[in-house]
């Protein structure tokens, strides 16, 4: 053989191998070798939801299909995105509940149908005691289709059943409810080149009304390349064995948005509705319904709490005195919070050092003493969580017994059901704590009011160190008689606003909003305030507001008006275009020291803590109702004495507001009566 011929032969062989390698490298299966949830694909179709009715039966949900085949289909190309060939080896998993079916009637579970010729390329149907597997063989075009029949299969008993059909070459097997599989041998193997181009997958039909599926379907999954039996069998619930179930059949069939709760699909259940007093809602009660006997609505249990599905919107009618809580001394601050699986608590920041401050627990629809704390002119408490850990931060205003000045963080002990001291932090006449989270990190900000007679000192932001399990200094911010911090977020932006009260000569000073940029807060906007003692951020639909409580107007050496306490407090609204807060409404207040925003039904409210009118601490605090274009309008006048703080909370028995008094040892719980 000549050298030239050898070279040519070598080039041919190398070229063939190179082409083969290229083809092998670029090869990909026609579809993902994972469970392909055909039922989820169908529900994702744009017009499918209006043709589905979710039904709960025997504790499990499935879809009842309307007789509209075109709405309950999707292109096969959604599954076979690399090439149009149906897998040569595969299994199908179906979970269905079928009522009785007349003799000689057939109903389709699913089909793959060509759009032009309307050939059934592949499908499954059932009759009274048979299950049929159908497929088209391209090599036998003169035949209509191949039909494989499993006999003695009784599905039409109104019970849930899970079917696993496995196909490999000449072998076809059917497993019902994880029992012993039935095996059949084909006369000719399942085609290796079943082309699905231009076809649709129809759920519950063969693209026509005749033979439409009348039962419930919960699962329809194609698993290419393997038998699904070993994946889901044996099973503790063989009739409901799962490979892949649409998420909407597992979660609550409702969605909740700003306008309330709505059904995702038409929904019905064969379960009874509980009437009367509110029953428990636990994992075992999930998906149960309860009708409130006071005609307030229909509720659905999500395994944790009752979610309103149909609810009469409450309207505030009047406010009534509910509980007069005798406190051990005047109360500077109040914090109400809920510990999951334990209940509601109210912790008082009591003025006197001895015996300190008190934690109350909501028991039998009243607050009762739960725990005592040693505090030093306590000003406020702040409840917060880090993961599953629960904390309370206390702001002490005066020095403790050893002459040092510390505020204390307490941690909840779930065994003792008490808060225990966790970390001491050096503070200076601390007035307030604010806790917040940013991008998975945890922070605490303290409002240091003064050091000796100097009000112009730093307030501090602390950051949680997950390694040491302690808060560490993260940033200091110059403040003037700081009284309150308020954290809020708008979109991706995070803010802190401080209430500066006094700079040593005047209460008429700037309070500042800070924005988080990078790893620190930087000044964003300042507003003139008058003895600012509280900020309250709230949102009404797509509008964002900040309300400041101005307590008094005072300048050393300046002859001011006769009454320095009857002044305006101001509500600001964010101008998104101008990127700043602008004055929205002035409200005349009497040495206001707190705002509390709350909702009831579809209404929005602000309640102000009026504390002093210049001559008396016995003044009305006021609930203002949001009236849209009119802003906030006074709705209810509440007699209070030296009111210091308001908190709103709700329990299973109703909605409440509670206030603390800085001038008498009494706090009051008021119930919001609705109509």
């Amino acid at each position: 053989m000549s050298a030239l011929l050898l070279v040519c032969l070598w080039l041919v062989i190398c070229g063939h191998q190179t082409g083969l390698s290229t083809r092998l490298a670029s090869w990909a299966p026609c579809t993902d070798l994972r469970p392909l949830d055909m039922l989820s694909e169908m529900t994702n179709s744009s017009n499918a939801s209006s043709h589905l009715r979710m039904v709960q039966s025997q504790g499990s949900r499935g879809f009842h299909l309307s007789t509209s085949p075109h709405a309950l289909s999707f292109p096969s190309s959604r599954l076979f995105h690399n090439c149009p060939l149906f897998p040569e080896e595969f299994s199908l998993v179906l979970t269905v509940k079928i009522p009785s079916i007349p003799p000689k009637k057939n109903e389709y579970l699913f089909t793959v149908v060509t759009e032009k010729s309307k050939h059934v390329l592949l499908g499954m149907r059932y009759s009274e005691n048979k299950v049929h597997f159908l497929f088209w063989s391209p090599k036998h075009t003169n035949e209509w289709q191949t039909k494989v029949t499993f006999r003695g299969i009784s599905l039409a008993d109104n019970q849930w059943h899970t079917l696993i059909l496995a196909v490999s070459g000449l072998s076809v097997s059917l497993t019902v409810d994880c029992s012993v599989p039935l095996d059949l041998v084909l006369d000719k193997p399942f085609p290796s080149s079943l082309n699905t181009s231009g076809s649709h997958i129809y759920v519950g039909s063969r693209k026509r009304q005749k033979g439409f599926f009348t039962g419930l379907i919960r699962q329809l999954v194609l698993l290419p390349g393997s038998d699904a039996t070993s994946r889901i069998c044996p099973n503790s619930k063989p009739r409901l064995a799962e490979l892949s179930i649409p998420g909407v059949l597992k979660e609550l069939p409702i969605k909740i948005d700003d306008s309330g709760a709505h059904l995702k699909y038409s929904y019905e259940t064969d379960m009874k509705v509980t009437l009367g007093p509110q029953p428990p809602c636990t994992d075992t009660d999930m998906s149960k319904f309860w009708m409130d006997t006071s005609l307030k609505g229909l509720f659905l249990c999500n395994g944790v709490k009752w979610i309103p599905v149909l609810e009469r919107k409450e309207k505030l009618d009047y406010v009534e005195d509910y509980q007069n809580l005798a406190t051990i001394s005047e109360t500077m601050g109040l914090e109400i919070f809920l510990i999951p699986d334990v209940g509601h608590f109210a912790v008082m920041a009591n003025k006197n050092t001895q015996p300190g401050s008190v934690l109350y627990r909501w028991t039998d629809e009243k607050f009762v003493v739960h725990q005592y704390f040693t505090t030093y002119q306590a000003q406020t408490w702040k409840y917060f969580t880090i993961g599953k850990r629960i904390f309370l931060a206390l702001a002490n205003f005066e020095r403790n017994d050893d002459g040092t000045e510390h505020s204390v963080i307490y941690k909840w002990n779930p065994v003792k059901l008490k808060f225990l001291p966790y970390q001491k932090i050096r503070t200076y006449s601390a007035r307030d704590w604010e806790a917040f989270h940013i991008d998975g990190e945890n922070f605490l900000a303290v409002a240091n009011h003064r050091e000796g007679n100097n009000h112009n000192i730093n307030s501090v932001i602390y950051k949680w160190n997950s390694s040491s399990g302690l808060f560490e200094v993260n940033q200091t911010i110059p403040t003037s008689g700081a009284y309150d911090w308020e954290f809020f977020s708008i979109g991706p932006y995070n803010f802190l606003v401080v209430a500066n009260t006094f700079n040593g000569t005047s209460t008429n000073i700037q309070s500042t909003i800070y924005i988080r940029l990078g790893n620190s807060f930087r000044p964003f906007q300042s507003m003139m305030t008058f003895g600012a003692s509280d900020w309250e951020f709230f949102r009404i639909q797509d509008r964002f507001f900040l309300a400041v409580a101005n307590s008094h107007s005072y300048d050393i050496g300046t002859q001011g008006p006769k009454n320095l306490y009857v002044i305006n407090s101001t509500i600001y609204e964010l101008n998104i275009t101008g990127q700043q807060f602008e004055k929205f409404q002035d409200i005349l207040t009497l040495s206001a020291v707190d705002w509390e925003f709350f909702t009831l039904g579809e209404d929005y409210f602000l309640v102000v803590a009026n504390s002093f009118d210049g001559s008396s601490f016995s003044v009305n605090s006021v609930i203002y109702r949001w009236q849209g274009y009119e802003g906030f309008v006074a709705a209810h006048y509440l007699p209070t004495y030296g009111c210091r703080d308001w908190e709103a909370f709700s329990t299973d028995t109703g909605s409440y507001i509670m206030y603390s008094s800085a001038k008498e040892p009494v706090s009051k719980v008021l119930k919001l009566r609705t109509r």
Side-chain angles (χ1 to χ4, degrees), residues 124-177:
M124 285 184 70
R125 72 178 189 229
Y126 65 92
S127 57
E128 187 177 19
N129 57 3
K130 298 175 185 177
V131 173
H132 308 281
F133 172 54
L134 319 169
F135 62 89
W136 183 276
S137 181
K139 295 180 180 180
H140 302 273
T141 55
N142 58 323
E143 298 183 26
W144 183 72
Q145 61 189 185
T146 299
K147 181 172 72 173
V148 181
T149 300
F150 293 89
R151 303 177 186 278
I153 308 296
S154 298
L155 299 179
D157 56 1
N158 209 29
Q159 301 291 319
W160 287 107
H161 293 287
T162 294
L163 313 179
I164 306 170
L165 180 80
V167 177
S168 178
L170 290 169
S171 174
V172 181
S173 68
L174 179 68
T175 303
V176 181
D177 300 334

Side-chain angles (χ1 to χ4, degrees), residues 227-241:
D227 185 349
T229 307
S230 60
R231 290 201 182 194
I232 62 176
C233 296
N235 197 290
S236 59
K237 296 181 179 180
R239 293 177 181 268
L240 294 166

Side-chain angles (χ1 to χ4, degrees), residues 432-617:
D432 182 56
W433 283 106
E434 179 72 335
F436 52 94
H437 310 275
I438 298 176
D439 297 331
E441 297 182 313
N442 302 280
F443 298 86
L444 270 179
V446 65
N448 285 324
H449 186 67
R450 59 175 169 81
E451 185 177 0
N453 291 323
N454 180 18
H455 290 78
N456 300 304
I457 61 174
N458 286 332
S459 291
V460 185
I461 299 172
Y462 298 87
K463 182 180 176 181
W464 176 260
N465 184 325
S466 57
S467 299
S468 65
L470 297 172
F471 281 97
E472 300 174 350
V473 174
N474 177 254
Q475 183 181 356
T476 59
I477 296 179
T479 53
S480 298
Y483 220 94
D484 179 64
W485 283 110
E486 177 82 343
F487 174 82
F488 59 95
S489 298
I490 300 175
Y493 302 103
N494 301 293
F495 300 87
L496 264 179
V497 57
V498 64
N500 285 323
T501 302
F502 185 59
N503 64 3
T505 61
S506 177
T507 62
N508 306 337
I509 57 178
Q510 298 283 331
S511 291
T512 303
I513 303 172
Y514 298 86
I515 186 171
R516 180 84 170 179
L517 296 175
N519 295 319
S520 64
F521 284 95
R522 301 180 186 180
F524 173 76
Q525 182 182 353
S526 294
M527 292 98 145
M528 179 61 70
T529 53
F530 304 89
S533 56
D534 180 63
W535 284 101
E536 181 83 350
F537 173 80
F538 56 95
R539 176 178 179 175
I540 297 178
Q541 297 174 348
D542 293 325
R543 302 170 68 177
F544 304 93
F545 297 89
L546 266 177
V548 63
N550 287 321
S551 63
H552 61 291
S553 176
Y554 172 72
D555 278 300
I556 292 179
T558 300
Q559 184 64 39
K562 293 182 180 180
N563 197 331
L564 305 174
Y565 300 94
V566 181
I567 56 176
N568 284 329
S569 292
T570 303
I571 301 171
Y572 298 88
E573 181 179 6
L574 177 64
N575 181 329
I576 296 178
T577 303
Q579 297 184 4
Q580 66 176 1
F581 283 91
E582 299 176 349
K583 182 184 291 187
F584 172 76
Q585 183 179 359
D586 280 328
I587 294 179
L588 191 65
T589 53
L590 311 177
S591 190
V593 289
D594 182 56
W595 285 107
E596 177 78 2
F597 176 78
F598 64 95
T599 62
L600 190 62
E602 295 181 330
D603 293 327
Y604 305 94
F605 298 92
L606 272 175
V607 57
V608 65
N610 284 326
S611 64
F612 186 58
D613 65 1
S615 60
S616 174
F617 296 105

